[in-house]
């Protein structure tokens, strides 16, 4: 089955799901253009997911995807160490004028709580990262007519996802922005580039493969299809558009950061992710004090949110991929048209 038919879209172009910087406007814009808009639900509790789902349904009658993070099982829970790691970040809290945060009851909502809300929203697609959806999740989605898309950073992960019954696999190369969503081996041992990963995944699985990582214009799209992919997923190029929830400082950074100036770091979240090495990343890495995920992500999130409101790019998570210099479109429509021009036969 072609990716377009599978996802119910006109063009096999998928918006990357941004955990923390998704917007209803951008998701709806990509869906309206004939692709699959996606919205990342990282950290969202059930009520917030229902609210966003209602907004999305009001904004578009086209298919869209909701994205969730699956637990790896090594997630830190609130404990006395919270105070130690929070105090290590005190200069950042002071810089944006917020108090050192007290220990919360939880850092993340329960997966079941999120899924219950997702089923109510009824997106066309449920996409998952950091693991393989359980048989129960796949069965529930299938019963509800919801497609399931998994994300792999290695061939072995792609095979595991296909064997679990997902409808398509995103093959995410190491060039991509944001978190490395590896789950079978450590992310540092799963850094396969897109041009090597995609054809090997295509050869290994019998479901459609969507290429991600380093794709920002028609040339990247054409290359992905030449490698055997039947769709593409694009993040950074859309993150730089006016419809994105990224701050002005973040969008400016995407347009001014060279490919070799992006780095893989655990500084902001406790898990490996690609972005610009700004003041916060440099200082946290130099301190050598990084809490485990999701404690670090929650702790830095308190100052990152304030920094975003104040448009202080040096204290935000400036996630971007290695194709950032190719992110030239200023609107979602411009980016989509450029990408669509690379789809064979278009």
């Amino acid at each position: 089955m072609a990716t377009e038919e599978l996802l119910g879209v006109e063009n096999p172009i998928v918006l990357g799901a941004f955990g923390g910087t998704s917007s209803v406007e951008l998701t709806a814009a990509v869906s309206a253009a004939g692709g699959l808009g996606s919205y990342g639900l990282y950290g969202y509790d059930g009520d917030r997911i229902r609210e966003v789902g209602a907004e999305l349904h009001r904004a578009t009658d086209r298919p869209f995807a909701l994205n969730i993070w699956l637990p790896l099982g090594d997630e830190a829970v609130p404990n006395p160490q919270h105070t130690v790691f929070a105090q290590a970040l005190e200069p950042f809290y002071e810089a944006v004028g917020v108090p050192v945060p007290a220990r919360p009851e939880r850092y993340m909502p329960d997966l079941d709580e999120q899924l219950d809300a997702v089923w109510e929203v009824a997106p066309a697609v449920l996409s998952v990262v950091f693991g393989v959806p359980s048989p129960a999740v796949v069965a529930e989605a299938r019963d509800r007519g919801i497609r399931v898309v998994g994300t792999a950073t290695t061939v072995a992960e792609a095979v595991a996802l296909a064997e679990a019954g997902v409808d398509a696999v995103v093959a995410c190369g190491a060039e991509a922005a944001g978190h490395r969503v590896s789950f079978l081996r450590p992310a540092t041992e799963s850094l396969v580039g897109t041009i090597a990963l995609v054809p090997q995944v295509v050869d290994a699985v019998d479901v459609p493969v969507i290429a991600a990582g380093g794709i920002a214009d028609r040339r990247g799209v054409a290359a992905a299809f030449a490698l055997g992919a039947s769709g593409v997923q694009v993040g950074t190029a859309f993150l730089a558009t006016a419809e994105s929830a990224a701050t002005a400082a973040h969008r400016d950074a995407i347009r001014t950061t060279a490919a070799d100036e992006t780095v893989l770091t655990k500084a902001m979240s406790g898990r490996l992710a690609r972005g610009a090495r700004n003041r916060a990343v440099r200082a946290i890495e130099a301190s050598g004090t990084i809490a485990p995920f999701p404690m670090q992500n929650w702790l830095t999130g308190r100052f990152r949110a304030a920094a975003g409101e104040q448009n202080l790019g040096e204290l935000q998570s400036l996630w971007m991929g290695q194709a950032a210099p190719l992110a030239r479109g200023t609107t979602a429509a411009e980016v989509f048209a450029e990408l669509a021009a690379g789809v064979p036969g278009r």
Side-chain angles (χ1 to χ4, degrees):
M1 182 185 295
T3 300
E4 296 97 315
E5 182 183 355
L6 178 73
L7 303 179
V9 297
E10 298 163 14
N11 281 287
I13 297 170
V14 180
L15 170 66
F18 312 123
T21 50
S22 285
S23 78
V24 169
E25 185 179 6
L26 179 55
T27 302
V30 172
S31 290
L36 184 71
S38 304
Y39 194 104
L41 301 177
Y42 175 83
Y44 283 34
D45 62 18
D47 288 342
R48 191 175 180 192
I49 291 172
R50 293 180 187 92
E51 291 171 5
V52 166
E55 291 178 24
L56 285 167
H57 281 301
R58 286 193 295 270
T60 182
D61 58 1
R62 301 288 188 90
F64 62 82
L66 294 181
N67 174 268
I68 58 172
W69 293 32
L70 300 176
L72 286 175
D74 62 351
E75 290 79 9
V77 297
N79 61 59
Q81 286 291 102
H82 173 100
T83 303
V84 176
F85 287 111
Q87 289 174 343
L89 296 171
E90 190 169 2
F92 300 106
Y93 301 128
E94 290 180 350
V96 295
V98 299
V100 177
R103 188 170 72 190
E105 292 185 6
R106 64 181 185 177
Y107 294 126
M108 298 172 65
D110 294 329
L111 176 62
D112 288 343
E113 176 185 347
Q114 291 187 306
L115 285 170
D116 286 344
V118 168
W119 304 141
E120 290 184 34
V121 173
V125 176
L126 169 65
S127 64
V128 302
V129 291
F130 283 113
V132 176
S134 69
V137 168
V138 173
E140 185 71 24
R142 188 156 290 139
D143 288 347
R144 294 173 179 270
I146 298 172
R147 298 295 190 181
V148 179
V149 176
T151 310
T153 64
T154 65
V155 172
E157 290 177 351
V159 170
L161 287 162
E163 290 177 345
V166 302
D167 296 290
V169 171
V170 174
C172 183
E175 300 95 322
H179 285 85
R180 301 306 306 144
V181 294
S182 307
F183 57 88
L184 288 183
R185 296 173 62 189
T188 52
E189 299 174 12
S190 307
L191 298 174
V192 185
T194 304
I195 201 167
L197 180 64
V198 171
Q200 293 182 64
V201 170
V202 169
D203 289 349
V205 302
D206 57 2
V207 297
V209 175
I210 299 167
I215 300 168
D217 60 18
R218 67 184 69 190
R219 295 171 294 181
V221 174
F225 277 87
L227 294 171
S230 55
V232 296
Q233 179 172 291
V234 177
T236 304
F238 282 117
L239 195 59
T241 65
E243 295 90 345
S244 162
T247 63
H250 192 166
R251 291 196 296 271
D252 288 345
I254 289 173
R255 301 188 190 286
T256 58
T257 302
D260 58 346
E261 292 176 345
T262 67
V263 294
L264 288 166
T265 181
K266 292 185 177 181
M268 289 303 209
S269 73
R271 279 186 181 168
L272 202 66
R274 183 178 295 283
R277 178 177 271 147
N278 58 6
R279 171 186 156 196
V281 169
R282 290 193 300 269
I284 293 171
E285 287 183 338
S287 75
T289 305
I290 300 175
F293 176 87
M295 184 188 295
Q296 182 74 0
N297 201 51
W298 190 93
L299 286 168
T300 64
R302 309 281 80 73
F303 71 74
R304 287 187 284 115
E309 294 171 359
Q310 299 169 38
N311 201 35
L312 300 174
E314 289 299 315
L315 300 181
Q316 298 175 42
S317 291
L318 301 177
W319 303 136
M320 65 186 73
Q322 289 182 332
L326 300 175
R328 299 177 182 134
T330 57
T331 68
E334 289 175 1
V335 172
F336 195 92
E338 169 63 25
L339 296 169
V343 178
R346 296 297 193 273

